[in-house]
Amino acid sequence: VTTPGLEELRVDSNGVLYGAGVDGPKLVLRLSKDGGRTWSMPLDLVAPARRGAAIGQWAFAVRGPGQVAAGYLTSRKTGGYDGNVTLLRNALAPHPVLVTSTVHDAKTPVVTSPQAAKDDYKRTDRG
């Protein structure tokens, strides 16, 4: 069993595997319904308006079959990051719908420590 370029793996109550990882400027999700023998084509979880930006820290979770949430940072050209959350309620559908939101005031970038850890702090600077 191979996980093609995936850094994190989750499983739902029906045994479907969800793998995610960064591939250049993409945060990709792949699914396997056969225990990892085959995988779906990658689905980019990054919001269309943020695509092309470098991906910073990220994490994802599976709540139930087809329900996926991903939180991630995308770099800003002016410095700092934008914090984003993408939700899928139907990841198992042929054409899943992604809903994404920025989680802070768009005028104020997110600041994070330089650590590679996913569990460090995030804050916004107001000036």
Side-chain angles (χ1 to χ4, degrees):
V1 176
T2 355
T3 53
L6 303 174
E7 301 166 47
E8 302 250 348
L9 188 64
R10 308 285 185 269
V11 62
D12 71 21
S13 58
N14 291 338
V16 176
L17 300 176
Y18 300 75
V22 173
D23 182 9
K26 297 178 180 180
L27 176 57
V28 297
L29 176 71
R30 289 181 182 251
L31 308 177
S32 176
K33 297 178 184 178
D34 60 9
R37 287 184 289 281
T38 61
W39 292 87
S40 67
M41 294 298 294
L43 173 65
D44 190 356
L45 297 176
V46 177
R50 304 280 185 244
R51 290 188 178 159
I55 304 295
Q57 297 168 354
W58 63 274
F60 88 109
V62 172
R63 180 177 184 194
Q67 300 174 336
V68 177
Y72 55 94
L73 300 177
T74 50
S75 64
R76 289 179 161 213
K77 291 179 183 175
T78 57
Y81 297 91
D82 284 312
N84 310 280
V85 172
T86 296
L87 303 173
L88 289 93
R89 291 187 180 177
N90 61 347
L92 301 170
H95 303 287
V97 175
L98 287 78
V99 177
T100 302
S101 181
T102 301
V103 296
H104 60 94
D105 176 3
K107 296 177 185 175
T108 309
V110 172
V111 178
T112 183
S113 77
Q115 300 178 44
K118 294 180 185 174
D119 58 352
D120 69 341
Y121 70 92
K122 318 272 186 303
R123 64 184 173 85
T124 56
D125 281 342
R126 298 253 181 230

